[in-house]
Amino acid sequence: MKKYIVAMSLLLFLSACGKVNGISSQQPEEIPVQTSLPQLEATEWQTLSTDAVAFNLTGSFDNPNFAYVFDHMDTVPLDQLVAFSLVADAASEGAHDELRGRFLEAPNTVLTYLVLLGDQVTELSGWEPTLTAELICGFIATADASWHDGSAEFVSTMAGCRKNYPEGRIAELLDIMDEEHAASMERNHSNP
């Protein structure tokens, strides 16, 4: 009798889970896959800031916050790394390479961050005012082309992103990355 109760309990449990003897009692539901972010709402406030003043990253190595980010590029939050890369002039090369590494490690996270920058514009000396997200895309692509000679990992990551984001703002950012990567590769190979 005890075996019968245990067997019945097990069958009831399995049927409650939707499977008996490995056969599902329900048809699998098709879950739509969202390939792009929903349209972001327009707000009076910024979601993220890339303003170096907000992170007290102004100045140079005399500023302990600036020096800290420089010494800890591999561990500081993405927003601080981006802000640093925009103000560090010659010291920003390592930040650009770290941005590339983070993109390869977590492309969805980096791309979502860039989308959330919205219409923030950065004005760098000698450059036209540019949307910050597009500028960062250029930094990432140039770092791969210049210091990694167009790595297979970058190409593979970009292909995966293209599959995941065939349209929308992220697709536009990927276009910018592709264009800058190609231009940087051409510059590198024409100037040996």
Side-chain angles (χ1 to χ4, degrees):
M1 183 68 165
K2 217 177 199 185
K3 287 182 184 180
Y4 176 74
I5 293 174
V6 170
M8 290 303 289
S9 298
L10 183 59
L11 283 174
L12 281 171
F13 174 75
L14 290 175
S15 66
C17 293
K19 291 187 176 187
V20 176
N21 294 331
I23 301 171
S24 175
S25 63
Q26 299 175 354
Q27 293 292 343
E29 291 183 37
E30 286 193 28
I31 300 171
V33 176
Q34 184 169 343
T35 58
S36 62
L37 294 174
Q39 182 67 33
L40 300 177
E41 302 84 3
T43 62
E44 296 288 321
W45 41 268
Q46 290 181 337
T47 305
L48 301 169
S49 175
T50 59
D51 183 7
V53 174
F55 299 107
N56 191 18
L57 293 175
T58 56
S60 63
F61 292 100
D62 295 337
N63 177 338
N65 292 337
F66 185 96
Y68 180 85
V69 173
F70 181 81
D71 291 335
H72 298 91
M73 285 185 212
D74 60 334
T75 59
V76 295
L78 184 59
D79 55 357
Q80 290 180 37
L81 181 64
V82 167
F84 179 85
S85 75
L86 295 170
V87 298
D89 294 328
S92 67
E93 287 183 356
H96 296 174
D97 197 44
E98 178 63 27
L99 287 167
R100 172 205 171 263
R102 290 188 188 195
F103 172 70
L104 297 178
E105 177 186 347
N108 297 315
T109 300
V110 172
L111 291 168
T112 300
Y113 169 83
L114 293 175
V115 168
L116 291 174
L117 291 177
D119 59 359
Q120 290 184 53
V121 172
T122 296
E123 295 183 32
L124 297 177
S125 178
W127 294 45
E128 291 291 321
T130 306
L131 289 173
T132 305
E134 295 178 6
L135 193 60
I136 298 303
C137 286
F139 292 166
I140 291 168
T142 299
D144 185 76
S146 298
W147 302 314
H148 302 276
D149 199 30
S151 70
E153 188 178 10
F154 182 84
V155 172
S156 174
T157 300
M158 288 293 288
C161 290
R162 288 286 187 191
K163 265 170 99 174
N164 292 336
Y165 306 104
E167 58 187 26
R169 180 64 177 146
I170 289 180
E172 294 169 4
L173 294 174
L174 293 170
D175 289 343
I176 290 164
M177 242 188 260
D178 271 337
E179 291 167 13
E180 185 56 40
H181 194 263
S184 292
M185 290 295 290
E186 186 175 321
R187 282 190 303 270
N188 293 344
H189 290 129
S190 66
N191 298 321

